[in-house]
Amino acid sequence: SQTIHQWPATLVQPVGSPLSLECTVEGTSNPNLYWYRQAAGRGLQLLFYSVGIGQISSEVPQNLSASRPQDRQFILSSKKLLLSDSGFYLCAWFGKGGGNTIYFGEGSWLTVV
Amino acid sequence: GENVEQHPSTLSVQEGDSAVIKCTYSDSASNYFPWYKQELGKRPQLIIDIRSNVGEKKDQRIAVTLNKTAKHFSLHITETQPEDSAVYFCAASAGGTSYGKLTFGQGTILTVHP
């Protein structure tokens, strides 16, 4: 079966520090991968999506970037964090083997201080 | 782009009552409508979804209805239980290669009182 792993689960970072969140998918190949962010008490917002290695599309202008160095690996990064980057970050995948639906990873809680 | 409005923002019911959450969307190209349940501090979990080729779908105590003409869809939970208490999100996407590009509503905090 397909599984999605995301780490770290929680982190507290100072303003101006770098960020790297990693997501990997197992049990499938060539999945569509997504990064969402959820601000406190709000709905989820799509940040980036990728349909293949090296292919990244950004949905909103922001202080973050994404990369897909391998088929089942998706990374969210920042060179200098802002306070407004705080939130709950969720990786998600969609693939034919998943019943044509979208599943989320466990999420990463980021607090920028 | 797509805009999804969700109502109510909070909903309080007694155990055994029914709960209804409604969403409207703006993009007529949207044809995939999932509903997620999110417990505090955890990831959203898919509870039911519907595609535009059907008007209603049911899974035990949960049902979703879709009216494409009016661009709205609703979640119905019958015989609510305290463990149904959570935040519920509706979402919409255009399907096909855009399945995962979901636009979410703002969420409904459902509280079921024993």
Side-chain angles (χ1 to χ4, degrees):
Chain A
S1 63
Q2 300 83 9
T3 57
I4 181 169
H5 300 286
Q6 184 179 340
W7 69 93
T10 60
L11 64 166
V12 180
Q13 296 284 102
V15 169
S17 65
L19 171 73
S20 181
L21 301 178
E22 189 164 342
C23 170
T24 59
V25 181
E26 298 177 356
T28 186
S29 60
N30 196 30
N32 288 354
L33 297 173
Y34 309 84
W35 278 111
Y36 283 85
R37 175 171 61 197
Q38 185 176 32
R42 305 203 54 186
L44 286 75
Q45 181 185 36
L46 178 63
L47 302 177
F48 299 96
Y49 71 95
S50 172
V51 299
I53 296 174
Q55 300 179 63
I56 308 294
S57 296
S58 175
E59 290 295 297
V60 294
Q62 59 202 298
N63 183 44
L64 303 168
S65 62
S67 62
R68 186 166 176 178
Q70 300 180 40
D71 181 48
R72 289 172 287 176
Q73 184 184 31
F74 203 22
I75 298 171
L76 183 69
S77 304
S78 174
K79 292 181 178 178
K80 291 184 177 182
L81 285 168
L82 306 172
L83 287 173
S84 58
D85 291 324
S86 294
F88 189 39
Y89 288 82
L90 291 146
C91 180
W93 78 277
F94 168 78
K96 295 177 183 178
N100 287 338
T101 192
I102 300 96
Y103 295 96
F104 289 94
E106 301 95 334
S108 298
W109 285 99
L110 170 65
T111 303
V112 182
V113 296
Chain B
E2 174 68 283
N3 182 50
V4 177
E5 298 287 337
Q6 182 173 344
H7 300 281
S9 56
T10 61
L11 180 59
S12 183
V13 300
Q14 289 296 127
E15 184 177 1
D17 288 350
S18 295
V20 180
I21 303 171
K22 299 181 179 181
C23 290
T24 60
Y25 62 99
S26 61
D27 190 350
S28 58
S30 290
N31 59 13
Y32 175 63
F33 308 93
W35 285 88
Y36 289 87
K37 175 183 180 182
Q38 186 177 31
E39 297 177 343
L40 189 63
K42 297 189 176 181
R43 61 181 149 179
Q45 298 276 7
L46 179 72
I47 55 172
I48 196 167
D49 58 8
I50 192 168
R51 290 172 171 81
S52 61
N53 56 341
V54 297
E56 183 174 359
K57 183 176 179 180
K58 189 173 182 180
D59 182 4
Q60 298 182 343
R61 297 185 297 110
I62 295 174
V64 57
T65 58
L66 171 65
N67 183 328
K68 284 221 75 179
T69 302
K71 295 197 185 77
H72 67 72
F73 56 113
S74 301
L75 177 71
H76 303 254
I77 306 174
T78 59
E79 300 173 23
T80 54
Q81 301 166 3
E83 50 266 39
D84 293 329
S85 297
V87 182
Y88 290 81
F89 291 97
C90 63
S93 75
T97 57
S98 298
Y99 258 122
K101 295 174 63 179
L102 295 167
T103 300
F104 282 82
Q106 290 304 300
T108 297
I109 301 172
L110 173 64
T111 304
V112 181
H113 299 281

